[in-house]
């Protein structure tokens, strides 16, 4: 039985038999039961519908501060277990809670459900109705295109909640964000108390026609790990913080001439092909200069783009271009110059620990994603992005919840969901601090990784989407890479598909 004492009393769950729904006071000298301080079963709130009391503190006036864990989580390693909430004793009937906002989402996920519960603890008179179409992300993926098409129609007709999840919902959201279907959040974001901590590059990356109509709570971005030992051996005098795809591809010939047993890139075996590994990023980093969604114009036949695709195909045939290696979380490079790294499906502390372990014997550093050929396009994306329905009559309540998602505790919570990097620097700092607290990661290598990751994340200036147009272009060019069609035929095929989508 866990007990807390103030010198005169010992407070504990239950008496003879521990009971997590009752806090009693005992004599500090002999342990005899004195009185009941708090019986959750007699007080009418919604708190224990979803939570168990993990720990508690009794104040000098017998006020109760509770640390909570969700009922459906077995682990105590959860954000809510690090915070204590003052529990107000409310005896009698439960207060009625009316729905203050509704939220439309494609699928249920733990972060948002937990954030809603924490919001309702802070504002017990409010209730958020969380409407999702699928119970799991996997079920959503099986129906992604159908759901996205239906959601688009629902948005146009206004048949959605006050808040709509627009990131990771199967939408071509950039087209929708050019309309007035969603509220312009720019002024609210700038005036919000959390604004000073937000990643301005990410916010500017979702700005369309000078308006921000979607708020990313977290985001995913790409980095590359650079083998500094091979960089020195090759005598490369290159600014890797500002390098385009064509400049990267030129290094393949240098490797072929100087160290023919090494490679430009390494990728784990599950990536399947060169195009799967690298072509996807090459395309999306250049798409803003190929397709203009505002004017509904495109030009895929620009010479710089064709030259880039030809160079990529030539390089991909070199034996020094890509090493398909067995997955190795610590030695991701496996002797090559570069390997792509992103945190979207792994815990930050795990990636950090792997980098630290590798650099105990070797030398590497993190560099930002490569730029576009014409412009400095630095890409990212967000699966946790929300918009406010412009037809909603509860916009103030809707923004109150979105602002809550930007607070430090919730930003730390999203970092533990493996859905990307918190948009708030406070959340990032907590994420880094957690890696130290949980695993003891510290030292020069750790500091180097943390510093470069923060700097690289702040270089983002474009949150990509372009819906299925992106996939149309990638699929068509893959036919060229696989020698099934000529480059002109591939580009023509892509143009035909994209033109249809531009005019939908």
């Amino acid at each position: 039985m866990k007990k807390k004492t103030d010198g005169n009393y010992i407070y504990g769950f239950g008496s003879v038999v521990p009971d997590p729904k009752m806090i009693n006071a005992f004599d500090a000298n002999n342990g005899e039961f004195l009185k009941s301080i708090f019986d959750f079963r007699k007080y009418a709130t919604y708190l224990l519908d979803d939570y168990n009391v993990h720990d508690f503190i009794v104040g000098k006036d017998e006020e109760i501060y509770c640390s909570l864990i969700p009922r459906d989580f077995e682990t105590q390693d959860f954000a809510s277990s690090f915070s204590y909430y003052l529990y107000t004793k409310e005896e009698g009937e439960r207060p009625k809670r009316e729905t203050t906002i509704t939220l439309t989402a494609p699928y249920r996920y733990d972060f948002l459900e937990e954030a809603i519960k924490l919001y309702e603890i802070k504002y017990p008179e409010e209730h958020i109705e969380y409407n999702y179409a699928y119970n799991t992300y996997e079920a959503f993926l099986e129906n992604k295109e159908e759901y996205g098409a239906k959601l688009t129609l629902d948005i146009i007709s206004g048949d959605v909640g006050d808040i709509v999840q627009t990131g990771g919902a199967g939408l071509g959201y950039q087209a929708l964000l050019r309309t007035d279907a969603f509220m312009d959040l720019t002024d609210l974001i700038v005036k919000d108390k959390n604004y000073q901590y937000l990643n301005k590059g990410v916010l500017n990356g979702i700005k369309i026609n000078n308006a921000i109509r979607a708020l990313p709570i977290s985001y995913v971005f790409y980095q590359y790990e650079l083998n500094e030992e091979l960089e020195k051996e090759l005598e490369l005098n290159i600014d890797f913080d500002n390098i385009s795809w064509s400049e990267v591809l030129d290094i393949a010939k240098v490797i072929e001439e100087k160290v023919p047993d090494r490679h430009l890139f390494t990728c784990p075996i599950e990536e399947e092909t060169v195009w799967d590994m690298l072509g996807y990023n090459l395309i999306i980093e250049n798409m803003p200069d190929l397709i203009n969604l505002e004017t509904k114009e495109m030009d895929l036949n620009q010479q710089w783009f064709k030259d880039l695709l030809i160079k990529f195909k030539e390089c991909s045939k070199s034996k020094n271009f890509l090493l398909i290696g067995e997955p190795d979380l610590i030695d991701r490079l496996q002797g090559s110059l570069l390997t792509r790294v992103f945190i979207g499906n792994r815990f930050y502390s795990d990636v950090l620990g792997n980098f630290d372990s590798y650099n105990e014997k070797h030398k590497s550093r993190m560099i930002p994603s490569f730029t576009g050929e014409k412009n400095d396009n630095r890409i990212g994306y967000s699966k946790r992005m929300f918009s406010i329905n412009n037809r909603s009559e509860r916009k103030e309540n809707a923004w109150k919840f979105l602002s809550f998602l930007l607070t430090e505790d919730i930003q730390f919570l999203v970092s533990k969901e493996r859905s990307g990097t918190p948009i708030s620097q406070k959340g990032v700092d907590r994420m880094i601090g957690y890696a130290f607290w949980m695993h003891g990661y510290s030292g020069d290598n750790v500091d180097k990784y943390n510093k470069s990751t923060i700097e690289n994340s702040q270089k983002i200036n474009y949150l990509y989407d372009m819906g299925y147009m992106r996939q149309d272009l990638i699929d068509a060019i893959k036919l060229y890479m696989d020698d099934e069609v000529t480059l002109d035929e591939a580009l023509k095929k892509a143009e035909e598909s994209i033109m249809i989508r531009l005019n939908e």
Side-chain angles (χ1 to χ4, degrees):
M1 177 170 62
K2 198 162 189 176
K3 299 180 179 179
K4 303 293 180 183
T5 179
D6 66 357
N8 298 314
Y9 297 113
I10 295 175
Y11 301 98
F13 287 129
S15 53
V16 178
V17 179
D19 184 349
K21 291 190 176 182
M22 179 179 289
I23 298 175
N24 291 331
F26 304 84
D27 189 298
N29 296 314
N30 57 28
E32 290 184 2
F33 171 79
L34 296 177
K35 59 182 176 178
S36 177
I37 298 297
F38 201 28
D39 187 343
F40 287 99
R41 290 164 295 198
K42 292 183 179 179
Y43 294 101
T45 73
Y46 292 86
L47 183 72
L48 296 188
D49 286 3
D50 301 308
Y51 287 89
N52 289 321
V53 178
H54 163 52
D55 198 4
F56 66 90
I57 298 172
V58 179
K60 63 179 181 178
D61 297 320
E62 295 188 347
E63 68 273 23
I64 305 295
Y65 299 85
C66 298
S67 174
L68 310 172
I69 55 174
R71 282 176 172 264
D72 52 356
F73 274 80
E74 296 180 0
T75 177
Q76 295 178 0
D77 176 24
F78 204 73
S80 54
S81 65
F82 295 104
S83 300
Y84 286 79
Y85 299 89
L86 175 63
Y87 190 89
T88 303
K89 304 175 182 180
E90 297 181 13
E91 192 170 2
E93 294 184 3
R94 288 184 173 191
K96 292 183 178 180
R97 297 192 303 180
E98 296 183 359
T99 297
T100 49
I101 54 174
T102 56
L103 193 154
T104 299
Y107 52 89
R108 191 205 73 82
Y109 51 99
D110 293 337
F111 158 70
L112 191 54
E113 194 161 83
E114 178 66 7
I116 290 172
K117 290 175 183 177
L118 293 174
Y119 181 84
E120 291 177 347
I121 288 176
K122 185 172 184 179
Y123 304 104
E125 73 284 359
E126 298 186 29
H127 173 61
I128 296 176
E129 185 178 309
Y130 180 22
N131 298 321
Y132 48 85
Y134 302 96
N135 285 319
T136 66
Y137 179 61
E138 291 73 22
F140 161 70
L141 287 179
E142 293 177 1
N143 302 278
K144 180 179 178 180
E145 189 163 355
E146 293 83 355
Y147 175 83
K150 180 181 182 304
L151 180 59
T152 300
L153 294 176
D154 290 343
I155 291 170
I156 293 172
S157 65
D159 190 21
V160 290
D162 304 294
I163 296 174
V164 179
Q165 181 181 331
T166 43
L171 287 172
Y173 61 75
Q174 285 212 10
L176 279 170
L177 298 185
R178 294 178 189 281
T179 72
D180 62 355
F182 297 114
M183 182 180 177
D184 182 1
L185 305 176
T186 307
D187 289 343
L188 292 171
I189 293 172
V190 171
K191 294 176 182 177
D192 191 86
K193 62 183 179 181
N194 304 292
Y195 175 70
Q196 61 181 308
Y197 308 110
L198 304 185
N199 187 320
K200 306 307 187 294
V202 173
L203 291 176
N204 287 330
I206 197 62
K207 184 177 288 187
I208 298 173
N209 295 338
N210 211 34
I212 301 175
R213 298 184 185 273
L215 177 65
I217 301 303
S218 65
Y219 60 95
V220 173
F221 70 102
Y222 296 97
Q223 303 184 91
Y224 289 84
E225 187 171 358
L226 173 68
N227 185 336
E228 292 183 322
E229 295 166 333
L230 184 54
E231 176 191 24
K232 182 178 181 180
E233 185 177 351
L234 293 171
E235 300 179 309
L236 298 176
N237 184 23
I238 295 173
D239 180 7
F240 278 98
D241 286 342
N242 296 282
I243 187 170
S244 69
W245 266 100
S246 61
E247 292 170 323
V248 171
L249 296 175
D250 287 338
I251 302 174
K253 292 182 179 180
V254 180
I255 293 175
E256 189 174 339
E257 293 171 359
K258 291 189 174 183
V259 282
D261 60 334
R262 299 292 192 92
H263 300 81
L264 180 58
F265 291 101
T266 290
C267 80
I269 197 168
E270 63 261 25
E271 295 281 4
E272 295 182 1
T273 70
V274 174
W275 189 243
D276 293 324
M277 163 65 177
L278 301 168
Y280 187 89
N281 285 68
L282 180 146
I283 291 298
I284 57 180
E285 282 156 2
N286 286 289
M287 278 193 76
D289 300 314
L290 299 170
I291 302 172
N292 188 323
L293 291 177
E294 185 175 354
T295 62
K296 295 190 174 183
E297 296 175 336
M298 67 174 160
D299 184 0
L300 305 184
N301 284 286
Q302 298 176 66
Q303 194 59 49
W304 64 265
F305 183 55
K306 297 176 77 170
D307 290 343
L308 178 62
L309 295 175
I310 292 170
K311 179 183 284 190
F312 184 93
K313 185 173 181 178
E314 290 176 349
C315 288
S316 68
K317 293 180 178 180
S318 168
K319 64 181 180 63
N320 300 102
F321 184 65
L322 181 68
L323 171 66
I324 305 293
E326 292 292 336
D328 187 328
L329 296 178
I330 293 177
D331 185 3
R332 291 181 293 249
L333 287 160
Q334 299 182 40
S336 298
L337 183 67
L338 295 160
T339 189
R340 189 181 66 175
V341 178
F342 74 106
I343 306 170
N345 60 353
R346 298 185 62 204
F347 292 116
Y348 183 87
S349 57
D350 291 343
V351 181
L352 171 61
N354 297 151
F355 178 86
D356 186 33
S357 296
Y358 177 80
N359 277 271
E360 289 177 358
K361 298 180 179 180
H362 306 281
K363 289 191 66 177
S364 68
R365 70 178 184 271
M366 305 305 297
I367 63 171
S369 61
F370 312 141
T371 68
E373 292 300 298
K374 286 188 67 176
N375 292 294
D376 184 27
N377 303 328
R378 307 276 191 170
I379 63 167
Y381 69 92
S382 175
K383 294 194 296 184
R384 303 289 178 256
M385 188 164 65
F386 302 92
S387 300
I388 296 179
N389 182 358
N390 229 345
R391 300 187 187 186
S392 170
E393 297 180 355
R394 300 182 284 202
K395 293 186 179 70
E396 185 175 344
N397 290 334
W399 175 252
K400 183 179 178 182
F401 177 66
L402 292 187
S403 175
F404 177 77
L405 296 182
L406 298 176
T407 58
E408 181 178 339
D409 284 346
I410 305 303
Q411 284 288 291
F412 174 52
L413 180 63
V414 76
S415 76
K416 300 177 73 176
E417 192 211 12
R418 294 187 296 178
S419 65
T421 301
I423 193 172
S424 168
Q425 185 59 44
K426 280 198 167 186
V428 172
D429 291 343
R430 283 278 296 275
M431 178 177 71
I432 292 173
Y434 178 78
F436 171 76
W437 177 83
M438 191 70 179
H439 303 284
Y441 294 142
S442 61
D444 292 342
N445 293 329
V446 170
D447 292 342
K448 180 170 74 169
Y449 181 87
N450 290 333
K451 182 176 183 292
S452 60
T453 297
I454 291 173
E455 290 176 349
N456 294 341
S457 72
Q458 293 171 347
K459 288 181 167 68
I460 295 173
N461 55 24
Y462 176 68
L463 261 61
Y464 73 82
D465 167 51
M466 296 202 181
Y468 297 104
M469 287 183 284
R470 179 184 69 243
Q471 200 60 48
D472 289 338
L473 183 54
I474 291 170
D475 291 345
I477 294 176
K478 188 175 188 301
L479 297 176
Y480 163 67
M481 295 296 166
D482 293 340
D483 292 322
E484 295 183 29
V485 298
T486 66
L487 178 56
D488 288 337
E489 289 171 337
L491 294 176
K492 182 179 180 181
K493 179 179 176 61
E495 282 184 337
E496 290 172 349
S497 299
I498 293 171
M499 185 59 70
I500 293 173
R501 296 192 189 276
L502 284 173
N503 291 290
E504 284 180 343

